């Protein structure tokens, strides 16, 4: 999987698809919005982007592969920043560290920083930022341990 981004459920999933279409000209019929269990009933061509519901505040999961990368030429972080700015949403994506509960939080203005999610919850729940995030000024900041500094 090339892209695995979790968007805030405060933004309708359809708006995320519209943002992909507006900025990157991804054909709407290639964006599936809905539950996984109904994907086989999708009447259009095989989608290259799936936006499916999951539990929690970041419950709009966008997943896609190389075909979307070819269309957008965007990294996972760049794609999340662009969609967040256009759809006025927030998103979580893997920060690439060994810590499973450290993620990047992208704010609605496109700014981002690392955050700690709650390891005791199934759904993605932000506890605090590990560094200041311009678009999330009210999110408490707690410095990460030395081993997690980058």
């Amino acid at each position: 999987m090339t892209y695995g981004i979790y968007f805030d459920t405060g933004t309708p999933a359809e708006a995320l698809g519209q943002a992909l279409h507006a900025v990157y000209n991804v054909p709407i019929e290639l964006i599936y919005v809905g539950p996984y269990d109904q994907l086989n009933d999708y009447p259009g061509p095989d989608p290259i982007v799936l936006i499916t519901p999951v539990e929690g505040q970041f419950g709009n999961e966008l997943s896609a592969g190389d075909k979307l990368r070819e269309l957008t030429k965007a990294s996972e972080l760049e794609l999340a920043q662009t969609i967040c700015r256009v759809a006025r949403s927030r998103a979580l994506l893997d920060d690439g560290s060994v810590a499973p509960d450290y993620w990047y939080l992208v704010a609605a203005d496109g700014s981002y920083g690392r955050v700690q999610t709650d390891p005791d919850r199934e759904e993605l729940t932000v506890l605090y930022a590990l560094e200041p995030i311009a678009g999330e000024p009210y999110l408490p900041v707690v410095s990460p341990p030395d081993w997690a500094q980058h």
Side-chain angles (χ1 to χ4, degrees), residues 1 12 20 32-33 38 46-47 49 60 65 69 74 77 95 101-102 107 109 120 131 140 142-143 145 148:
M1 185 67 53
L20 265 177
Y32 171 77
V33 177
Q38 295 177 17
D46 288 344
V49 178
N60 288 319
R69 183 172 302 270
L77 179 57
D95 76 341
D101 300 313
Y102 287 6
D109 67 355
D120 297 324
E131 58 200 7
V142 175
S143 294

Side-chain angles (χ1 to χ4, degrees), residues 32 34-42 52-53:
Y32 171 77
Y36 278 119
D37 61 0
Q38 295 177 17
L39 181 57
N40 288 335
D41 298 330
Y42 183 63
T52 55

Side-chain angles (χ1 to χ4, degrees), residues 28-125:
I28 289 292
E29 64 272 9
L30 297 181
I31 303 170
Y32 171 77
V33 177
Y36 278 119
D37 61 0
Q38 295 177 17
L39 181 57
N40 288 335
D41 298 330
Y42 183 63
D46 288 344
I48 64 169
V49 178
L50 304 178
I51 303 174
T52 55
V54 295
E55 293 295 318
Q57 181 177 2
F58 292 89
N60 288 319
E61 179 183 8
L62 181 148
S63 54
D66 291 334
K67 289 184 180 179
L68 183 63
R69 183 172 302 270
E70 290 168 17
L71 279 174
T72 65
K73 308 287 191 260
S75 70
E76 187 175 43
L77 179 57
E78 291 166 337
L79 188 80
Q81 289 176 294
T82 300
I83 293 173
C84 284
R85 279 193 298 266
V86 172
R88 305 302 303 156
S89 189
R90 300 183 316 152
L92 286 175
L93 59 147
D94 190 336
D95 76 341
S97 74
V98 297
D101 300 313
Y102 287 6
W103 294 74
Y104 283 130
L105 173 66
V106 179
D109 67 355
S111 62
Y112 72 95
R114 292 176 31 203
V115 296
Q116 165 79 49
T117 58
D118 189 339
D120 297 324
R121 302 210 38 194
E122 294 256 340
E123 68 275 354
L124 290 171
T125 304

Side-chain angles (χ1 to χ4, degrees), residues 102 114 130 143-150:
Y102 287 6
R114 292 176 31 203
L130 299 170
S143 294
D146 289 341
W147 64 265
Q149 303 278 345
H150 21 335

